[in-house]
Amino acid sequence: MKLNWNLWFNHKHKHLMVKFVVAILLMGIALRLFLSTSTGSTKEPIPVRFPQDEDQDQIPLPRKETPFPEKTVVSEPPISAEVPENDQDQIPPLQEKCNLFTGDWVPNTSGPAYNESCPIIENPQNCIRNGRPDTGYLYWRWNPRDCEIPKFDPERFLEMMRNKAWALIGDSISRNHVQSLLCMLSTVERAVQVYHDKDYRSRRWHFPSYNFSVSVIWSPFLAKAAIFEDYNGVATSEVELHLDKLDRTWVDQYHSWDYMVISTGKWFLKTAIYYENNEVLGCHFCPKRNLTELGFDFSYRKVLSFVMDYIVTSDYKGMIFFRTSTPDHFENGEWFNGGNCKRTAPVKEGEVELKEVHKILRRIELEVFEKAAAEASKSGVNLKLLDLVPLSMMRPDGHPGPYRHYHPFDHDKNAKVQTDCLHWCLPGPIDSWNDILMEMVVNG
């Protein structure tokens, strides 16, 4: 058979032309992909984020270089927070009128900033170690309705507080709060205890790298008082409370602190005899004594007004927070007659109501503070209200309950143990107090 060379040549020519066209197309696509990748990488930088800033809807506070690079992680940009180019280090501006204390508890998948191994946690508040079976209470954060606040940034806080001193002054809730603060700060540098009183109720810790100290001062009345009860609250006699004398435990150190959180409240509900000018004036709940019943509201207003007068006329140059007294969540009774707190999730605003005695305390606090704030603005004293009642009311799930004891039901599922529905689990809802505290320090 004779080969048709013209036909073969035409077929081969067409085949080479197709290969040539395809090669050009592939080179064009490759070049386009290369250029888009190079230019796109400058538009959306992946931010460096830290473990305590895991929430996707929060922009991390600016950070300086840290001596703990092993804590740094790289993750995708936040889904709901758009970070403008060259502006990743900006704190989200608060709206002009933002009430930090009105809001909701929202899910927080990142969980607590520290765990039960923090050595500063005292046993009665270490709910995880004590065997509390549920952990859902750990996965919520406070979200004000009018603005976003960043999570507490322990490293930035320590940098801001270099060469400064804090004091939390009050009762066992202040101790509860200081332990929360120290555990969060100790994720950067461990706090070193440098002082304690005989009963370990007043203490001071130091952060050597920052020359920063934090004190807790035991002064449950803020006024001079003789208290006749043990560490478990068992009293042998009435409190002797001097309504016209402040407690020297905090007054003598007052000007040595740059920041203070002062609080009181629940101790005024205890049976007490009141003194003025070292003479008995009356009492609260003392039916066996022939004394005038004045009531806890009388003494609370008098002492709190005395404290505020001292503050606003003190020429103090630091920042003072007055923290409102937080409520308990005992249901079906009180601590001494079977009351409990079995809830395992936050409640909505208004779902749990303040008890009448707490309403009285709160009314007095807000009235006295309002007058003091007006005077402080005239005298130049930086006095702020830390009103944690609204957000605390919605967390009946955050208390130790029976798990103030170590594994209370291991040997008897029906064991009767004293419950704690006043103090807070650590870690727990009280950690959000520090988010608010830092926001108030940073943005005033």
Side-chain angles (χ1 to χ4, degrees):
M1 184 176 77
K2 186 176 182 181
L3 181 64
N4 188 335
W5 287 102
N6 290 331
L7 181 61
W8 179 88
F9 180 80
N10 291 337
H11 175 75
K12 184 69 173 178
H13 179 71
K14 291 179 181 178
H15 185 67
L16 289 171
M17 286 296 292
V18 169
K19 285 186 174 181
F20 181 73
V21 171
V22 170
I24 291 176
L25 288 173
L26 290 173
M27 289 177 64
I29 292 172
L31 182 61
R32 182 183 180 91
L33 287 172
F34 176 78
L35 292 174
S36 65
T37 302
S38 300
T39 57
S41 64
T42 61
K43 291 182 180 179
E44 285 195 52
I46 298 177
V48 176
R49 307 182 71 213
F50 292 77
Q52 59 266 40
D53 293 315
E54 290 291 327
D55 288 348
Q56 292 179 328
D57 55 348
Q58 293 198 1
I59 302 174
L61 289 171
R63 290 179 174 272
K64 297 183 179 180
E65 289 187 8
T66 168
F68 304 97
E70 68 275 9
K71 294 186 179 180
T72 304
V73 297
V74 179
S75 64
E76 293 299 320
I79 293 174
S80 60
E82 297 182 1
V83 184
E85 188 174 358
N86 299 324
D87 202 26
Q88 296 94 331
D89 287 341
Q90 296 298 314
I91 301 173
L94 293 180
Q95 296 180 12
E96 186 176 349
K97 294 182 179 179
C98 176
N99 186 345
L100 296 173
F101 312 112
T102 300
D104 304 282
W105 289 93
V106 298
N108 172 31
T109 56
S110 64
Y114 60 94
N115 59 41
E116 71 278 11
S117 66
C118 175
I120 297 167
I121 304 174
E122 294 184 355
N123 290 334
Q125 283 80 53
N126 201 328
C127 301
I128 299 174
R129 184 168 289 173
N130 288 344
R132 178 170 170 171
D134 63 302
T135 58
Y137 68 96
L138 298 170
Y139 294 91
W140 299 87
R141 66 174 179 84
W142 177 248
N143 183 46
R145 290 178 194 155
D146 301 326
C147 55
E148 286 287 334
I149 58 172
K151 292 186 72 173
F152 183 83
D153 184 334
E155 187 180 349
R156 184 166 188 244
F157 186 88
L158 286 170
E159 284 290 351
M160 291 172 59
M161 297 302 147
R162 193 177 288 276
N163 302 318
K164 297 190 183 300
W166 273 70
L168 284 77
I169 305 164
D171 55 22
S172 57
I173 300 298
S174 294
R175 184 170 66 239
N176 203 178
H177 186 191
V178 84
Q179 291 166 11
S180 166
L181 177 62
L182 290 171
C183 282
M184 296 178 88
L185 294 176
S186 291
T187 60
V188 175
E189 178 175 284
R190 177 166 291 191
V192 179
Q193 182 174 286
V194 293
Y195 166 80
H196 64 80
D197 64 3
K198 183 179 68 173
D199 297 320
Y200 284 81
R201 285 183 163 176
S202 291
R203 303 187 194 184
R204 183 169 67 254
W205 293 264
H206 189 243
F207 292 86
S209 298
Y210 300 88
N211 191 29
F212 169 56
S213 68
V214 179
S215 300
V216 61
I217 305 298
W218 174 254
S219 183
F221 292 99
L222 301 179
K224 181 181 178 180
I227 301 170
F228 306 95
E229 65 178 48
D230 61 21
Y231 200 81
N232 294 316
V234 178
T236 57
S237 184
E238 302 94 341
V239 173
E240 296 177 357
L241 179 60
H242 295 260
L243 306 182
D244 55 349
K245 296 180 181 179
L246 296 181
D247 184 358
R248 306 306 306 183
T249 307
W250 67 273
V251 170
D252 288 347
Q253 305 177 72
Y254 180 75
H255 286 283
S256 67
W257 299 308
D258 301 286
Y259 295 84
M260 280 179 271
V261 181
I262 292 180
S263 62
T264 182
K266 297 268 302 181
W267 276 69
F268 284 82
L269 303 179
K270 293 178 177 285
T271 299
I273 299 173
Y274 302 142
Y275 290 79
E276 269 192 350
N277 298 319
N278 293 322
E279 295 184 357
V280 175
L281 185 66
C283 70
H284 166 57
F285 194 63
C286 54
K288 295 181 180 181
R289 293 180 177 267
N290 186 24
L291 296 173
T292 303
E293 173 65 37
L294 297 173
F296 70 89
D297 53 334
F298 170 83
S299 63
Y300 194 42
R301 184 179 296 275
K302 200 168 185 66
V303 168
L304 203 54
S305 297
F306 190 25
V307 170
M308 290 298 171
D309 287 344
Y310 175 80
I311 290 173
V312 300
T313 59
S314 64
D315 193 32
Y316 179 73
K317 301 304 181 184
M319 183 180 291
I320 302 178
F321 299 91
F322 173 65
R323 178 178 63 75
T324 50
S325 56
T326 56
D328 63 61
H329 286 100
F330 284 100
E331 297 183 275
N332 306 309
E334 295 296 330
W335 66 271
F336 53 84
N337 61 4
N340 57 56
C341 42
K342 297 182 178 181
R343 299 180 188 247
T344 58
V347 298
K348 297 295 183 182
E349 183 179 1
E351 190 174 334
V352 174
E353 188 176 357
L354 268 177
K355 296 174 183 176
E356 193 58 36
V357 291
H358 294 138
K359 289 180 180 179
I360 296 170
L361 293 174
R362 179 167 174 75
R363 182 171 63 248
I364 293 170
E365 289 167 354
L366 296 180
E367 290 174 359
V368 172
F369 179 84
E370 184 179 6
K371 293 178 182 178
E375 292 301 317
S377 64
K378 297 176 185 177
S379 61
V381 174
N382 195 354
L383 177 63
K384 298 180 181 297
L385 181 67
L386 187 61
D387 187 14
L388 300 174
V389 171
L391 59 119
S392 300
M393 276 300 297
M394 292 185 265
R395 293 308 306 271
D397 59 320
H399 304 289
Y403 296 98
R404 72 185 299 271
H405 308 279
Y406 184 75
H407 291 262
F409 305 114
D410 276 7
H411 302 294
D412 182 358
K413 293 182 178 179
N414 298 314
K416 292 183 178 180
V417 297
Q418 184 178 330
T419 59
D420 183 355
C421 304
L422 171 63
H423 300 93
W424 302 93
C425 291
L426 294 174
I430 195 172
D431 298 326
S432 285
W433 293 11
N434 299 316
D435 297 349
I436 295 173
L437 200 58
M438 182 162 184
E439 183 58 44
M440 294 178 73
V441 169
V442 171
N443 289 322

